[in-house]
Amino acid sequence: MALPSVERGAATPLVRRPSFLAFWAGQGVSQMGVQLGQLALPVLAVNLLGAGEMDLGVLNAASMAAFLVVGLPAGAWVDRWLKRRTMIRADLVRMAAMFAVPLLWWLGELRMWHLFAVAAVVGVATVFFDVAYQSYIPLLVERELVADANGKLEATAQVSRLGGPALGGFLLTLVSAPVLFAGEAGGYLVSALCLTRVRDTETKPERVEGSNLLHEIRDGAGFVVRHPLIRRVVASTAVANLFSSITYVLMPLVILRELGFGPAGLGTMLSIGSVGGIIGALVTPRLAARIGEGPLLPLGLTVGALSVVLFPLALAAGQGPPALVLLSAGEFFMSFGVIVYNVMQVSMRQRVCPPRLLGRMNASIRCVVWGVMPIGSLLGGWLGERIGLAPTLWVGVAGAALSCVPVATGPFLRLRRLPDAEGE
């Protein structure tokens, strides 16, 4: 049974709105499951299946390729569909794909190509879920509450990233890595069930006579290209994601093989990093009020970029506690800066975009900023094999610094408040 109709209006706090609470709870549980699976995946690939640099590059590329391949049409399709229903179906597809991993392992048939296939299927479903998710928030709450809703959702996601890796590291001392994939599948199931409890006023958009898929894609992409602030955000985010993919595709090998910390060390690093993300999500509204919404964008990205230098320094420190401290500090400040940046830029995009273009706008952006990630993953794996881990990590440092240029040289530093409508 659906929940009663939610009273809208800025006077009603989000924590007193049953539909938002159901949505929030589902995403929190789902994120916890995702963290279990994300920790288990590199452990399974490296420790059980003997994956090397290029194997990890292909695995990460498979999980992200869908944003490049189907990202643009997904936005046009999502704008034609009911977004909550789209998210439910995507969750169920991801659940089924994740359950295949422990099943194949139990049958003794699990191979690396199975992980590639599962990653690709989950990646396609995630494209549709994420585009619908980012387009759904403005339909669930008023525009003046979009930043508050995003902050709450992001803070909860960071709590999951804090507890998930630590819990996963502990569980990996008791069970084998494939079992944790069942936890991720369960998280997707809970998300789908919670979404069935959400009530909204969304109606299926009417098709414009004479419109076609290519025309609708062009409308969304054209809005992104024409908007001066969004255009700079896309450029910075794309460069940052390209080079972070080069860095992070090799981190399991750095932590598990080169530094010998094992799954517990990987989980510790990710959990400490999530503390930075939680703090970033919580303090973003206060920072925006104090220093301005515009300046917070380049500031957040710069903090994240500077933290990347700690990763190659940790590898140079060799095995021992100092390396783990450097890795954890790098992950902490990276998460803090990136979350501050993301909360502000996503909220800005949702505020300035007309509702009819939300899906296409988000898909166009995701196609670029996530579409570069499979390229970065393959490039990271190739560079890791050709020039070694340490030089490749320094390439990531240089790219992180470069990513700050578009937003740091734009008008953001002069904008006390980011615009609420195009052209303001």
Side-chain angles (χ1 to χ4, degrees), residues 135-222:
S135 306
Y136 188 66
I137 301 300
L139 301 174
L140 190 61
V141 304
E142 296 79 12
R143 291 208 165 203
E144 60 267 27
L145 295 177
V146 163
D148 186 22
N150 283 329
K152 285 180 168 57
L153 290 164
E154 193 56 55
T156 304
Q158 289 301 318
V159 170
S160 298
R161 293 181 188 123
L162 171 63
L167 176 61
F170 170 73
L171 290 176
L172 284 173
T173 66
L174 305 176
V175 300
S176 188
V179 177
L180 295 192
F181 283 84
E184 183 169 359
Y188 291 134
L189 177 59
V190 171
S191 173
L193 292 174
C194 286
L195 283 166
T196 66
R197 302 287 295 168
V198 175
R199 192 165 192 174
D200 58 55
T201 57
E202 183 186 14
T203 57
K204 192 171 183 178
E206 293 184 7
R207 290 289 307 278
V208 177
E209 189 167 347
S211 66
N212 57 62
L213 188 65
L214 289 177
H215 179 77
E216 293 173 6
I217 291 172
R218 187 167 62 247
D219 283 346

Side-chain angles (χ1 to χ4, degrees), residues 80-271:
R80 296 178 179 181
W81 302 336
L82 293 173
K83 294 170 180 59
R84 183 167 63 92
R85 188 177 299 173
T86 300
M87 289 187 284
I88 291 172
R89 291 172 176 170
D91 272 335
L92 295 177
V93 170
R94 295 191 290 186
M95 177 197 71
M98 281 298 167
F99 267 130
V101 175
L103 177 60
L104 288 168
W105 170 74
W106 181 70
L107 293 172
E109 297 294 332
L110 187 62
R111 304 290 185 271
M112 274 300 301
W113 74 266
H114 292 134
L115 294 187
F116 298 154
V118 167
V121 171
V122 172
V124 171
T126 298
V127 168
F128 286 94
F129 183 94
D130 284 0
V131 170
Y133 173 87
Q134 288 202 337
S135 306
Y136 188 66
I137 301 300
L139 301 174
L140 190 61
V141 304
E142 296 79 12
R143 291 208 165 203
E144 60 267 27
L145 295 177
V146 163
D148 186 22
N150 283 329
K152 285 180 168 57
L153 290 164
E154 193 56 55
T156 304
Q158 289 301 318
V159 170
S160 298
R161 293 181 188 123
L162 171 63
L167 176 61
F170 170 73
L171 290 176
L172 284 173
T173 66
L174 305 176
V175 300
S176 188
V179 177
L180 295 192
F181 283 84
E184 183 169 359
Y188 291 134
L189 177 59
V190 171
S191 173
L193 292 174
C194 286
L195 283 166
T196 66
R197 302 287 295 168
V198 175
R199 192 165 192 174
D200 58 55
T201 57
E202 183 186 14
T203 57
K204 192 171 183 178
E206 293 184 7
R207 290 289 307 278
V208 177
E209 189 167 347
S211 66
N212 57 62
L213 188 65
L214 289 177
H215 179 77
E216 293 173 6
I217 291 172
R218 187 167 62 247
D219 283 346
F223 177 82
V224 172
V225 171
R226 290 191 303 271
H227 199 288
L229 301 183
I230 292 180
R231 188 169 61 237
R232 286 184 176 273
V233 163
V234 170
S236 279
T237 308
V239 176
N241 284 354
L242 174 67
F243 286 93
S244 69
S245 297
I246 291 174
T247 298
Y248 277 94
V249 73
L250 299 177
M251 293 307 290
L253 289 176
V254 170
I255 296 168
L256 298 173
R257 190 181 70 187
E258 297 298 317
L259 299 179
F261 290 127
L266 180 58
T268 298
M269 170 192 162
L270 295 175
S271 293

